[in-house]
Amino acid sequence: MSEPLHLALSWSDWFSLFSQYLLMSLMSIGGAISTTAEMHRFLVEQHHWLSQAQFNESIALAQAAPGPNVLFVALMGWNVGLNAGSYPAAFLGVLVTMLGILLPSTTLTYLTAQWGHRNRDLRVVRAFKQGMAPLVVGLLIAVGIILGQANGDFARDWPLWSLSVASGLVIWRTRIHLLWLLFAGALLGWFNLV
């Protein structure tokens, strides 16, 4: 893991982090991973609470670990807290980010699923489900673009871009399990090829 930054976060900063994750939760169509571009803008570019390396490492570690893919949100909160200087702050970061990302989307998903199930034969419900697919794909492409900007310079990051495009094509056109792609990416990273 990369070196922590040294931050001084006030209670208003923690509330701002919580509020931002509440809003992102409502945008998380296709899962929390689809809001990665906005998380990057907020945490890395706007507030500098995470470094680019910490951001990428949070996502990579959570995606490689067993369990739900929303774990990267907890790791981002943990890293923000560690950057603020202590383990209690790291636990607060996990609590703030996870509650923020889970509360609105979970409530909205539950209520919408109940309504959709009761009205599944309506044309508007079927149209809504079909219309969401392109939106989710677009958000996931945005995630690939953000993760491919490790150095912020295309001349140095082209291997990551190439790997993202190749992985997307393999997922789309074959039935290879995602774990094999994660394993291949880990090997490429281990040997410093990407």
Side-chain angles (χ1 to χ4, degrees):
M1 296 295 277
S2 55
E3 282 293 314
L5 306 172
H6 300 289
L7 307 173
L9 297 179
S10 66
W11 286 110
S12 65
D13 291 329
W14 288 110
F15 181 74
S16 175
L17 181 63
F18 179 69
S19 301
Q20 186 68 20
Y21 273 79
L22 283 173
L23 291 173
M24 284 188 286
S25 177
L26 295 174
M27 292 182 358
S28 63
I29 300 162
I33 195 76
S34 65
T35 61
T36 305
E38 178 59 18
M39 289 179 197
H40 182 270
R41 185 201 62 77
F42 184 79
L43 295 171
V44 178
E45 295 173 7
Q46 182 178 350
H47 290 288
H48 308 289
W49 290 343
L50 290 180
S51 68
Q52 180 70 43
Q54 288 174 317
F55 186 85
N56 287 351
E57 289 167 358
S58 296
I59 293 173
L61 183 60
Q63 296 301 307
N69 77 356
V70 76
L71 292 177
F72 79 94
V73 172
L75 286 172
M76 287 181 189
W78 177 264
N79 283 325
V80 168
L82 284 183
N83 289 342
S86 68
Y87 284 108
F91 285 109
L92 178 61
V94 170
L95 183 68
V96 164
T97 55
M98 288 301 285
L99 282 177
I101 203 74
L102 291 176
L103 281 177
S105 61
T106 303
T107 305
L108 184 62
T109 300
Y110 177 76
L111 295 173
T112 303
Q114 294 295 319
W115 177 83
H117 183 69
R118 282 191 311 272
N119 299 295
R120 65 184 167 268
D121 296 327
L122 292 177
R123 186 177 198 178
V124 68
V125 172
R126 292 191 319 262
F128 175 77
K129 288 179 181 180
Q130 289 178 341
M132 293 308 292
L135 181 63
V136 171
V137 170
L139 289 170
L140 291 176
I141 289 171
V143 170
I145 290 170
I146 292 296
L147 293 178
Q149 296 176 356
N151 299 309
D153 177 20
F154 183 75
R156 291 175 42 201
D157 291 334
W158 71 266
L160 292 174
W161 288 88
S162 301
L163 184 61
S164 293
V165 170
S167 297
L169 290 172
V170 167
I171 291 168
W172 178 39
R173 302 302 286 174
T174 70
R175 299 182 64 80
I176 294 175
H177 198 281
L178 290 177
L179 289 178
W180 288 112
L181 294 175
L182 285 171
F183 178 71
L187 283 178
L188 291 171
W190 179 273
F191 293 113
N192 279 336
L193 298 173
V194 290

